[in-house]
Amino acid sequence: MPLQIYINGQFYDKENAKISVYDHGLLYGDGVFEGLRSYSGKVFQLTQHLDRLYESALAICLQIPISKAQLADDVNKTLKINNLHDAYIRLVVTRGSGSLGLDPNRTSDPQVIIIADSISLYPEENYKNGLKIITASTVRSHPAALSPRIKSLNYLNNIMAKMEGLQAGCVEALMLNHKGEVAECTGDNIFIVKNGVLMTPSKDAGILEGITRNAVLELAREHGIPTQEVTLTRHDLFVADECFLTGSAAEVIPVVSIDSRPIGGGSVGATTIKLMAAFKKLVHG
Ligand code: PMP
């Protein structure tokens, strides 16, 4: 059976899963989304992802037409119908189709889409030997322009930075905020370890409050590793003992070089290895 895609309560074969070209999600990036993982058939932190999705929607005055409980059921149904256990799940809610103009009041029928498929973001060897990243010159969007807390369908800001990374031969790139402080990477949050303390930019650095980020902070506390959510600069990264990224797709992945400078001697650090193992244990139960 071809992959089954959920759109507004119905399942369609992948090639027949279509929405209108008048949908403002397509025309203007007007909509919100989430990326989730399931491990052994159980969706990891489903409640947290749904809370963030509904908050993103609220922030852009988009009314999701079904309840959180219904959407949670539908996510599980999508996994089941596709017989998927370890999957990547993409939730998308668009503004719906409307006229050729920005006015969201002239749209109807927001589309709720669930895609459950596989994803492999970074090559396996990067988990062992670490990623090399660069700092992009594209600044993370100003929170007063479009808050990075909103996981909207407008990802061009991140895509521009991702392109810079790819052009430099790196699969991920660091983004600074409008004040020149470390914000996050294009699709991942960033952490460093310095003198035994785990540090990550605080929410007011203008970042997406990652669900993996929060899970890793919690795991660190459980393992007696001191944590700080603080302002970080590139200087802090360059002199860090360790660096790693977190994200639903990426999980926990070490970084060993930034802008061609080795971080922590250029090898994967002990705290990173410990947290990668703890995260693996957490998701696999
Ligand atoms: N920052 C950005 C910009 C993201 O798009 C993502 C999700 N891919 C993250 C951070 C990580 O968030 P999460 O751990 O919730 O997947």
Side-chain angles (χ1 to χ4, degrees):
M1 188 174 64
L3 198 75
Q4 297 296 297
I5 311 291
Y6 169 106
I7 307 176
N8 291 340
Q10 306 274 352
F11 286 98
Y12 301 87
D13 290 354
K14 185 177 172 178
E15 61 272 25
N16 295 324
K18 293 173 182 159
I19 63 163
S20 167
V21 292
Y22 285 87
D23 194 302
H24 282 206
L26 172 70
L27 291 176
Y28 302 116
D30 188 354
V32 292
F33 78 103
E34 274 298 318
L36 306 81
R37 291 287 286 268
S38 72
Y39 297 96
S40 309
K42 188 172 184 312
V43 182
F44 181 63
Q45 304 212 325
L46 178 56
T47 307
Q48 287 88 335
H49 280 281
L50 289 177
D51 285 348
R52 191 170 66 183
L53 181 76
Y54 280 71
E55 275 186 17
S56 292
L58 184 61
I60 66 162
C61 303
L62 167 59
Q63 176 91 39
I64 299 180
I66 57 173
S67 68
K68 266 187 213 177
Q70 178 70 57
L71 189 50
D73 272 1
D74 292 348
V75 167
N76 285 314
K77 220 185 273 172
T78 308
L79 284 176
K80 207 167 232 169
I81 204 168
N82 286 296
N83 197 23
L84 285 166
H85 303 280
D86 296 289
Y88 177 80
I89 303 150
R90 172 61 53 88
L91 292 183
V92 182
V93 184
T94 72
R95 184 77 68 180
S97 58
S99 53
L100 294 177
L102 296 181
D103 189 352
N105 297 322
R106 294 177 70 184
T107 59
S108 57
D109 72 330
Q111 302 290 297
V112 180
I113 301 164
I114 308 171
I115 306 167
D117 208 335
S118 55
I119 194 170
S120 124
L121 206 57
Y122 303 123
E124 199 46 49
E125 73 129 50
N126 289 145
Y127 288 86
K128 212 166 147 259
N129 301 323
L131 279 179
K132 293 179 180 192
I133 65 171
I134 55 131
T135 308
S137 63
T138 305
V139 166
R140 190 74 177 97
S141 54
H142 193 298
L146 177 63
S147 172
R149 302 279 297 275
I150 304 170
K151 203 163 166 63
S152 84
L153 295 179
N154 268 279
Y155 250 55
L156 259 187
N157 177 222
N158 308 55
I159 291 167
M160 297 303 285
K162 174 102 179 176
M163 283 196 291
E164 287 187 59
L166 293 171
Q167 282 156 2
C170 297
V171 288
E172 185 52 295
L174 172 70
M175 301 183 80
L176 306 177
N177 66 16
H178 61 285
K179 292 188 267 186
E181 302 158 354
V182 171
E184 59 183 337
C185 287
T186 69
D188 301 305
N189 291 113
I190 188 160
F191 285 78
I192 58 167
V193 179
K194 181 70 178 173
N195 298 329
V197 180
L198 182 68
M199 300 180 199
T200 195
S202 66
K203 280 178 265 179
D204 28 275
I207 59 169
L208 182 76
E209 189 184 352
I211 284 159
T212 320
R213 169 191 184 273
N214 291 350
V216 165
L217 283 171
E218 183 74 36
L219 281 175
R221 288 179 202 119
E222 281 168 21
H223 283 76
I225 301 166
T227 64
Q228 285 180 3
E229 294 172 61
V230 286
T231 301
L232 295 174
T233 63
R234 282 172 85 218
H235 172 82
D236 296 309
L237 304 195
F238 293 147
V239 301
D241 299 326
E242 302 181 31
C243 179
F244 63 84
L245 312 181
T246 63
S248 297
E251 302 176 313
V252 181
I253 186 158
V255 171
V256 292
S257 161
I258 304 178
D259 300 327
S260 301
R261 298 175 181 226
I263 305 299
S267 52
V268 179
T271 305
T272 304
I273 291 170
K274 194 192 257 187
L275 288 169
M276 285 173 79
F279 186 77
K280 207 164 234 170
K281 201 163 154 216
L282 174 70
V283 299
H284 291 289

